[in-house]
Amino acid sequence: MDMPTTPTPDASNDHPAASRSAVKPSRGPARGASTMAAIHRSLRADIVEMRRNPGEPIVEKHIAEAFGVSRTPVREALQRLADEGLIEIFPQVGTFVARIPVNALPEAIVIRTSLEGTAVRYAAQRATGSQIASLRANLLLQQETVEDGDLNAFHEADERFHAQIAEIAGFPGLWSMAQQVKVQVDRYRRLTLPEPGRLTHVLAEHAAIVDAIADADPALAADRMAVHLDGLLTSIPQAQGANPFFFTGP
C-alpha cells in the first residue's frame, strides 16, 4: 500500500471536532478488555458515521488522555480497527482513517442484496398484521426525520427497518451477517444522504417494500429490495466524484 501524503483538512467536513462522540472519557474503573472495547466502539462509530473523515489522522496520545488510560488499550483498539480495514497504521509516519475502497463496494452490496433478498422473501410469507403495522410505524418515523432534516436519526431508523425485516422473516442472523459485510458501504452511504431528494427517494423505496410484504408477495418484495439496494451501486461514481480524497481505487 502506498504511503499517504500528509492529509489536509477537508472543507466539506460539516462535523466540528467538538461534536464528535468519540474519545469520551470512560467512567468508573474500566480496565483491560472492557476499556479496549469501549475505545474501539467509540472510534468505530465515529469512522463509520463519518464524524472522522477518510485520511484524517488519529493521535494515539490524545485518545489515551481522553479515556484516562495508558496507550496499551488504545493500540489494541487501533489494531482491531486496522484489521477491519477502517484505519491504516504506518510505522514512523502515523495512523489515519482509511479511505473507502471503491473496489470493495460492489461485492459488499451484492452480498447484502442476496442476504436481504432472502430475508424479505420470508418476511412476505410470515408477516403478521402487527408486524406490518410495526414496519409502517418505522416508515412514519423515517418521514419525521426527513421533515426534520436529521440525517443521523434517519440512518438509525433505516437500519432498524432492515433489522425488523430480518426479525419478521425469523432469521435475524441474516441482518447480522449483512452488517458485517457492509461497513465500508455504510461509510460511503453516509455521503449520499445529504443529496437533495435522497431521503425522500429512499423512504419511497422502503414504503414499496412494506407494501409488497403486506400483500404477501415474496417475489415482488425481493425485487423491490434489489432495486432499493441497487441504487447504492449506481451512486458510487457520483459520491466518489464529489469526495475524491475520501476514496481509494478507480
Side-chain angles (χ1 to χ4, degrees), residues 5-204:
T5 56
T6 301
T8 56
D10 189 89
S12 67
N13 181 14
D14 295 327
H15 306 287
S19 68
R20 291 176 181 155
S21 65
V23 298
K24 292 181 178 179
S26 58
R27 297 180 179 178
R31 292 290 186 273
S34 62
T35 302
M36 184 279 290
I39 296 169
H40 169 267
R41 184 167 54 249
S42 181
L43 287 173
R44 189 181 193 278
D46 273 0
I47 293 170
V48 173
E49 295 171 20
M50 296 296 286
R51 288 189 293 271
R52 286 181 178 268
N53 286 333
E56 183 177 326
I58 295 179
V59 183
E60 186 180 290
K61 176 183 177 182
H62 293 171
I63 298 171
E65 290 174 349
F67 276 87
V69 298
S70 70
R71 294 195 184 189
T72 298
V74 175
R75 290 187 183 124
E76 292 172 351
L78 293 178
Q79 184 57 57
R80 185 173 173 185
L81 290 168
D83 292 342
E84 294 177 273
L86 292 175
I87 68 168
E88 294 177 300
I89 301 173
F90 297 94
Q92 311 306 319
V93 177
T95 298
F96 305 89
V97 177
R99 289 183 291 170
I100 301 168
V102 173
N103 291 342
L105 297 179
E107 182 177 29
I109 293 170
V110 168
I111 293 172
R112 178 181 177 182
T113 300
S114 178
L115 292 170
E116 293 210 66
T118 299
V120 80
R121 280 180 178 275
Y122 279 104
Q125 294 172 17
R126 300 175 176 179
T128 64
S130 62
Q131 289 172 328
I132 293 170
S134 180
L135 286 173
R136 295 201 187 281
N138 182 281
L139 292 177
L140 180 58
L141 176 60
Q142 291 179 47
Q143 178 63 48
E144 291 171 350
T145 65
V146 171
E147 293 171 356
D148 292 340
D150 191 334
L151 300 182
N152 289 329
F154 180 86
H155 179 74
E156 291 174 5
D158 186 339
E159 291 284 286
R160 181 59 194 151
F161 174 78
H162 287 274
Q164 279 183 271
I165 291 174
E167 291 166 4
I168 293 169
F171 299 109
L174 289 172
W175 178 242
S176 297
M177 287 187 282
Q179 286 182 300
Q180 293 174 22
V181 301
K182 73 185 186 75
V183 61
Q184 298 292 0
V185 176
D186 284 345
R187 298 175 70 203
Y188 139 68
R189 182 173 173 273
R190 296 291 291 219
L191 296 173
T192 71
L193 293 183
E195 296 173 2
R198 177 66 179 175
L199 299 186
T200 301
H201 181 71
V202 171
L203 179 55

